Amino acid sequence: MLGTIVNVGCILTGSIVGSFVSRGIKENYKTALFDGLGLATVGLGANAFVSNVPKVTYPVLFIASIAIGTIIGTYLDIDGHFHKLLEKAKGGSRLAEGLSTAILLFCIGTLSILGPIESRLNGNNTYLFTNATLDFVSSIILSSAYGIGIAIAALVLFCWQGSIYLFAGFIAPYMTPALMGEISVLGGIFLMSSGLGILQIRDCKTLNMLPSLLVPPVFYGLMHLLFGI
């Protein structure tokens, strides 16, 4: 768990640093920061999407995953419940937007998923230390734009990576490059969606898409059970 603890510490530290940096920044500079953050998020998402599409075995699976997952998420109104949970906090809806972006950025990535598995099975924290460095920089930028509330993402990351760490022995055999490719493609779509929200181009209610992540593992599990592949 050392790697996860370091990762969480970096997010908390970065959030504190970013919140202090934001003090005294004029509104026009904050607007420029939001624009830059939105474009960077779209760029990261596009890169994750393009670089991982060639790795997938079933090219249309991510489309089906988005369709099925979004319908489920919309029915459950994940995005609406998340906003209601934070509406009493300072900067409610704005914080919800930033926090959802932070959670997706910190949790839905190859390093954040494979890191706890590698740490548990081989005692290697390299992935998590690398992820911690990236998250430190990202949390500074996000908290300077959205405030100290971004630190809440550290708790989500701890639960996420902690769960993967505990069940690493069971999960590892199923985390094939093809499945990781599918998850990374979906993560790229989520980030592009968040970026569009930050730029105020369109609110795609990204959190409602999260159930999409369950579709590829279920699909691959069924293919293995029914056809042995």
Side-chain angles (χ1 to χ4, degrees):
M1 288 291 286
L2 175 62
T4 294
I5 292 172
V6 170
N7 203 162
V8 168
C10 283
I11 293 174
L12 292 174
T13 304
S15 298
I16 294 170
V17 171
S19 66
F20 277 106
V21 169
S22 68
R23 296 181 181 181
I25 296 180
K26 294 181 179 179
E27 197 61 36
N28 60 324
Y29 290 108
K30 287 187 177 181
T31 300
L33 182 60
F34 277 117
D35 290 341
L37 180 60
L39 290 171
T41 304
V42 171
L44 287 171
N47 178 67
F49 179 85
V50 172
S51 61
N52 284 285
V53 164
K55 300 176 184 178
V56 303
T57 306
Y58 306 100
V60 297
L61 179 57
F62 75 88
I63 300 175
S65 299
I66 287 290
I68 296 170
T70 302
I71 289 173
I72 295 172
T74 301
Y75 175 76
L76 297 174
D77 194 20
I78 298 173
D79 186 83
H81 290 307
F82 185 74
H83 278 75
K84 286 179 182 178
L85 184 65
L86 295 174
E87 66 183 5
K88 294 183 180 179
K90 184 179 179 181
S93 62
R94 177 62 79 177
L95 174 59
E97 178 185 88
L99 192 53
S100 63
T101 300
I103 291 170
L104 293 171
L105 191 61
F106 297 156
C107 297
I108 312 301
T110 303
L111 293 175
S112 192
I113 296 173
L114 293 183
I117 295 175
E118 184 70 12
S119 177
R120 175 65 183 273
L121 299 182
N122 301 314
N124 180 12
N125 289 302
T126 303
Y127 285 175
L128 289 176
F129 289 158
T130 302
N131 199 54
T133 304
L134 297 173
D135 289 350
F136 174 69
V137 177
S138 300
S139 60
I140 291 176
I141 297 172
L142 285 165
S143 62
S144 64
Y146 294 102
I148 189 65
I150 293 299
I152 298 173
L155 176 61
V156 178
L157 179 84
F158 180 80
C159 295
W160 170 253
Q161 290 189 356
S163 298
I164 295 174
Y165 183 89
L166 290 174
F167 295 101
F170 175 76
I171 296 173
Y174 302 99
M175 300 306 294
T176 63
L179 179 55
M180 282 303 305
E182 296 285 356
I183 292 174
S184 296
V185 166
L186 292 174
I189 293 174
F190 297 163
L191 287 176
M192 285 189 283
S193 174
S194 292
L196 293 176
I198 295 171
L199 293 170
Q200 298 184 357
I201 295 175
R202 182 175 178 81
D203 181 8
C204 299
K205 300 188 183 304
T206 309
L207 292 180
N208 284 345
M209 301 180 186
L210 286 181
S212 304
L213 292 170
L214 299 175
V215 178
V218 171
F219 176 81
Y220 274 80
L222 289 174
M223 292 295 288
H224 179 72
L225 287 174
L226 296 176
F227 305 105
I229 56 176

